């Protein structure tokens, strides 16, 4: 378990507080920004986080005039349980106007790819049909396909909804040759190449080994799918 005690204080200037009738309202968002800056200050750039507060005053009004600043101290980030705690003091016009202690959980965000539109069964996934979003990394399951490279040129095996994470069973390689279709059989040896017509006995994607039947000799063979019309048979 890795725990980090952050004893240095960090000041965050709240640039755009909400002021109504001489009062400035401090929001949970502003407090979260201060804690996020503290996280970056000590862990470095890289991970973007989202905070969930369990305790502490996260919304209140400040009546003192002047620029509002937040000082964060005693921040702890528990990487094993993804919990945080911190103390914060609020200053306006150079005066301390409020204090609060905070506890909660933090979540590392990851950029993932999901459908940018509804994709119908049988459609090929292209770059324009995907969009990137950020989500909590703990919400990504082993069966989810969230990397752009793993989704491009795949065929939807069911209707895919806009914005919904794609599972590995939702997509598959594009079927180039369908069972029962006629293809060109290319038979190769180190010394010659023979072409013939054949019937596909099963579906096949690029690079798949499928069973085919030579329509002339009625012999069943296995070959590699080269394109939508061609199966290459090596010397057997």
């Amino acid at each position: 378990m890795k725990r980090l005690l952050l004893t240095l204080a960090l000041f965050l200037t709240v640039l755009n507080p909400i002021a109504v009738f001489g009062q400035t309202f401090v929001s949970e968002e502003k407090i979260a920004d201060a804690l996020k800056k503290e996280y970056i200050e000590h862990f470095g750039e890289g991970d973007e986080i989202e905070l969930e507060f369990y305790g502490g005053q996260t919304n209140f009004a400040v009546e003192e005039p002047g620029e509002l600043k937040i000082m964060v101290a005693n921040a702890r980030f528990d990487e094993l349980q993804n919990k945080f705690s911190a103390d914060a003091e609020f200053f306006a016009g150079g005066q301390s106007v409020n204090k609060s202690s905070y506890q909660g959980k933090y979540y590392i965000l990851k950029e993932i790819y999901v459908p940018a539109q509804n994709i119908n069964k049988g459609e090929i996934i292209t770059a324009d049909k995907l969009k990137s979003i950020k989500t909590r990394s703990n919400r990504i399951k082993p069966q989810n396909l969230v990397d752009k490279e793993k989704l491009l040129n795949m065929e939807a095996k069911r209707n895919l909804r806009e914005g919904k994470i794609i599972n590995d069973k939702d997509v598959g390689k594009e079927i180039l040759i369908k069972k029962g279709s006629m293809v060109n059989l290319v038979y190769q040896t180190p010394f010659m190449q023979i072409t013939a017509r054949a019937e596909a006995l099963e579906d096949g994607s690029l690079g798949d080994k499928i069973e085919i039947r030579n329509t002339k000799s009625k012999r069943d063979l296995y070959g590699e799918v080269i394109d939508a019309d061609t199966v290459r048979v090596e010397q057997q």
Side-chain angles (χ1 to χ4, degrees), residues 181-198:
S181 62
M182 300 303 295
V183 298
N184 295 317
L185 180 159
V186 178
Y187 182 74
Q188 288 185 318
T189 74
F191 309 103
M192 64 177 180
Q193 175 174 300
I194 301 173
T195 60
R197 294 293 287 169

Side-chain angles (χ1 to χ4, degrees), residues 113-119 129-131 160-166:
Y113 283 84
V114 296
Q117 61 192 59
N118 290 335
I119 300 174
K129 296 176 183 177
L130 296 173
K131 65 179 178 181
L160 306 177
R161 291 170 53 192
E162 178 184 354
K164 187 175 180 181
I165 293 178
I166 298 173

Side-chain angles (χ1 to χ4, degrees), residues 33-208:
D33 286 343
L35 288 168
K36 289 175 184 178
K37 287 181 180 293
E38 186 81 358
Y39 181 91
I40 294 172
E41 179 76 14
H42 294 273
F43 285 98
E45 296 283 353
D47 291 332
E48 185 176 343
I49 63 171
E50 181 178 282
L51 300 180
E52 192 173 292
F53 289 90
Y54 292 162
Q57 189 178 11
T58 54
N59 292 279
F60 58 90
V62 173
E63 300 203 13
E64 293 293 329
E67 188 176 56
L68 181 69
K69 293 184 178 181
I70 303 174
M71 185 181 75
V72 177
N74 303 321
R76 296 175 182 266
F77 292 90
D78 184 338
E79 291 187 300
L80 183 61
Q81 300 184 66
N82 290 107
K83 292 182 178 180
F84 75 88
S85 62
D87 299 322
E89 188 169 1
F90 302 85
F91 294 83
Q95 301 294 319
S96 176
V97 294
N98 203 353
K99 293 181 180 180
S100 186
S101 295
Y102 299 96
Q103 306 84 40
K105 298 199 75 172
Y106 72 96
Y107 303 91
I108 295 175
L109 300 181
K110 179 178 178 180
E111 183 180 42
I112 67 171
Y113 283 84
V114 296
Q117 61 192 59
N118 290 335
I119 300 174
N120 296 323
K121 179 180 179 181
E123 284 189 54
I124 304 303
I125 299 176
T126 52
D128 61 304
K129 296 176 183 177
L130 296 173
K131 65 179 178 181
S132 65
I133 63 171
K134 290 184 178 179
T135 189
R136 296 177 181 180
S137 57
N138 66 324
R139 290 176 175 170
I140 302 172
K141 308 303 180 185
Q143 67 268 27
N144 296 154
L145 292 180
V146 295
D147 295 330
K148 186 176 183 179
E149 294 72 20
K150 293 183 178 180
L151 291 169
L152 286 177
N153 302 316
M154 298 292 276
E155 181 179 317
K157 300 303 181 184
R158 55 184 293 272
N159 293 333
L160 306 177
R161 291 170 53 192
E162 178 184 354
K164 187 175 180 181
I165 293 178
I166 298 173
N167 292 327
D168 51 10
K169 293 182 179 179
D170 295 338
V171 297
K173 292 192 294 184
E174 179 184 2
I175 301 298
L176 294 180
I177 294 176
K178 294 188 177 295
K179 179 180 178 180
S181 62
M182 300 303 295
V183 298
N184 295 317
L185 180 159
V186 178
Y187 182 74
Q188 288 185 318
T189 74
F191 309 103
M192 64 177 180
Q193 175 174 300
I194 301 173
T195 60
R197 294 293 287 169
E199 178 186 358
L201 301 181
E202 55 187 325
D203 293 341
S205 301
L206 182 65
D208 285 352

Side-chain angles (χ1 to χ4, degrees), residues 15-34:
L15 298 177
N16 296 302
I18 303 172
V20 179
F21 302 117
Q23 291 184 324
T24 296
F25 290 90
V26 181
S27 66
E28 181 178 299
E29 180 183 357
K30 296 300 183 183
I31 299 167
D33 286 343

